[in-house]
Amino acid sequence: SQQGEEDPQALSIQEGENATMNCSYKTSINNLQWYRQNSGRGLVHLILIRSNEREKHSGRLRVTLDTSKKSSSLLITASRAADTASYFCATAPTDSWGKLQFGAGTQVVVTP
Amino acid sequence: DTEVTQTPKHLVMGMTNKKSLKCEQHMGHRAMYWYKQKAKKPPELMFVYSYEKLSINESVPSRFSPECPNSSLLNLHLHALQPEDSALYLCASSHSIPGVEKLFFGSGTQLSVL
């Protein structure tokens, strides 16, 4: 079952601009993760934020987590054409041992 | 070696065929997963193996039969599939569960059922 909702569904930006996407979820979580998927390929893990963390950075990525609102955001700064991909949030619910549940995803297109 | 290798990359099969998907990792991970992904949709969990034992079966039809021969290998046996089973099948592994940490995904097998 799908736990997360993401918005926007699609995002089109120019190189150099920032891209922000949001994820909402429904249940208590151990952690929230973001993955990237290029068309027809496997998913690549980007960043993990734990339930007791509020913000995390990795290179050009910044993730925030608000457990009171059950929401997270992913910011990609200074986007590049190579950032074109689908981005999925995934939650590890506290009551669902072993199950990582993916949101619907945001399709990002970065044009040169 | 931080790779999960899936074979074949593409598979076309008829509804009466029997085929198998294979997945291999050499990262010493003790949890392995099968996900199914339809176009423009998120991955859906099918099975989870923990220490070579089936831990989670998400009510998947019996025409899908998983097997974990050892800690590095994961198979998905397919029999009498339906056209609606056409999808990208993704294998993943992680260090361990619970509190699922980072998943390493293979590139997937694109399956077409005719």
Side-chain angles (χ1 to χ4, degrees):
Chain A
S1 63
Q2 190 174 308
Q3 151 97 300
E5 298 290 332
E6 292 184 57
D7 79 274
Q9 289 187 330
L11 183 59
S12 185
I13 57 175
Q14 302 263 350
E15 260 190 335
E17 293 180 339
N18 295 342
T20 300
M21 58 210 86
N22 304 295
C23 169
S24 60
Y25 57 92
K26 298 173 184 173
T27 64
S28 295
I29 60 172
N30 288 314
N31 65 65
L32 185 144
Q33 304 172 38
W34 287 89
Y35 288 80
R36 184 187 75 217
Q37 184 178 33
N38 290 89
S39 181
R41 306 283 294 174
L43 284 78
V44 175
H45 182 271
L46 295 176
I47 194 165
L48 178 152
I49 187 165
R50 301 187 190 283
S51 59
N52 60 353
E53 297 175 312
R54 292 297 167 258
E55 187 170 316
K56 204 161 183 180
H57 297 254
S58 177
R60 292 184 297 113
L61 305 179
R62 173 179 169 254
V63 170
T64 62
L65 178 64
D66 186 335
T67 53
S68 66
K69 295 181 179 178
K70 290 187 168 58
S71 68
S72 173
S73 68
L74 171 67
L75 168 67
I76 305 172
T77 60
S79 62
R80 304 166 182 169
D83 294 328
T84 295
S86 292
Y87 292 82
F88 294 94
C89 69
T91 53
T94 54
D95 63 350
S96 296
W97 183 86
K99 296 185 183 182
L100 195 63
Q101 295 178 321
F102 287 84
T106 295
Q107 281 191 291
V108 175
V109 175
V110 182
T111 52
Chain B
D1 188 358
T2 57
E3 279 192 352
V4 175
T5 304
Q6 287 188 246
T7 56
K9 293 193 185 305
H10 303 276
L11 179 62
V12 179
M13 60 186 290
M15 289 189 284
T16 59
N17 291 159
K18 286 184 180 181
K19 296 287 184 183
S20 296
L21 309 184
K22 297 185 183 301
C23 175
E24 188 169 7
Q25 58 88 13
H26 295 289
M27 294 177 280
H29 290 170
R30 302 314 298 268
M32 297 186 77
Y33 310 75
W34 280 115
Y35 281 86
K36 172 183 177 181
Q37 186 179 26
K38 298 282 241 183
K40 299 189 184 300
K41 296 291 186 183
E44 295 179 0
L45 183 63
M46 300 176 71
F47 303 104
V48 181
Y49 273 83
S50 176
Y51 291 86
E52 295 107 72
K53 292 184 179 178
L54 183 62
S55 300
I56 296 174
N57 177 339
E58 289 285 80
S59 303
V60 177
S62 60
R63 57 185 185 269
F64 294 91
S65 175
E67 179 196 18
C68 190
N70 60 56
S71 60
S72 299
L73 294 174
L74 186 66
N75 298 322
L76 186 62
H77 303 296
L78 314 173
H79 174 54
L81 294 193
Q82 304 296 310
E84 59 265 29
D85 296 322
S86 297
L88 181 67
Y89 288 84
L90 293 163
C91 174
S93 69
S94 67
H95 183 66
S96 64
I97 46 177
V100 178
E101 301 283 323
K102 176 179 178 178
L103 290 186
F104 290 78
F105 281 86
S107 295
T109 294
Q110 188 65 56
L111 174 67
S112 296
V113 181
L114 304 179

